[in-house]
């Protein structure tokens, strides 16, 4: 495994972990159960240049989605949930029920919550966009303040990009990621 750190300038330092297959983990500085860097891992800043470039662009409001090789480890169910999370439009929020319905299992709301909590690549696989059905923020590996910060960042970027004073919470960007770079 290869690792490095990235300072977001907004939500603190992230630990990035990858191998030749792709990005495997993003760990928040504030994680309750931080990833343990194994002595066999090597630190290599150059390996993460593209990932850092895209993260920097995200935090600066220049991109809305990522184009990176991802290699998260998880069960087939978790993988389905994580793929569904990647379809949530930038700047919007959905409920756990929405994700459960998206994967074709509307009764799996709690299991979706568990898979969401085990997402090893937050931000890029945007688990922060999932909230409770009553509109409240629910658990997040980086903490609820970080989750709120990420949601606020996306909404602010939508407002500035469209020139609107207010973008309603129900706004859904139907255009493809490619159109918004």
């Amino acid at each position: 495994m290869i690792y490095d750190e990235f300072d977001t300038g907004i939500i603190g330092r992230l630990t990035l972990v990858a191998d030749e297959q792709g990005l495997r983990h993003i760990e928040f500085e504030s994680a309750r159960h931080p990833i343990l860097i194994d002595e066999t891992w090597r630190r290599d800043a150059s390996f993460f240049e593209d990932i850092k470039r895209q993260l920097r662009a995200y935090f600066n409001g220049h991109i809305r989605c990522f184009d990176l090789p991802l290699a998260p480890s998880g069960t087939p169910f978790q993988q389905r949930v994580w793929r569904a999370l990647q379809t949530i439009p930038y700047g919007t929020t959905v409920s756990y029920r929405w994700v459960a319905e998206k994967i074709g299992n509307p009764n799996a709301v709690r299991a979706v919550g568990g898979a969401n909590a085990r997402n090893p690549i937050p931000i890029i696989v945007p688990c922060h966009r999932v909230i409770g059905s009553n509109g409240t923020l629910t658990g997040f590996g980086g903490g609820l303040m970080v989750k709120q910060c990420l949601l606020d960042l996306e909404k602010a970027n939508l407002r500035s990009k469209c020139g609107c004073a207010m973008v309603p919470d129900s706004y859904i960007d139907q255009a493809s990621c490619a159109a918004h770079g």
Side-chain angles (χ1 to χ4, degrees), residues 108-119:
V109 174
R110 285 185 182 210
V112 163
N116 201 52
R118 288 172 185 79
N119 172 18

Side-chain angles (χ1 to χ4, degrees), residues 47-61:
F47 186 87
F48 292 95
E49 284 179 6
D50 191 39
I51 294 168
K52 290 179 180 182
R53 180 185 57 75
Q54 289 188 45
L55 282 168
R56 195 171 299 107
Y58 168 83
F59 284 108
N60 289 326

Side-chain angles (χ1 to χ4, degrees), residues 8 10 55-63 90 153 157 161:
T8 66
I10 296 175
L55 282 168
R56 195 171 299 107
Y58 168 83
F59 284 108
N60 289 326
H62 300 298
I63 65 169
Y90 180 94
L153 171 77
N157 288 334
K161 295 276 186 207

Side-chain angles (χ1 to χ4, degrees), residues 90-93 155 158-159 162 164-172:
Y90 180 94
T92 65
T93 56
K155 286 187 180 176
L158 284 175
R159 288 182 188 110
C162 75
C164 303
M166 183 64 100
V167 174
D169 290 341
S170 60
Y171 174 80
I172 295 179

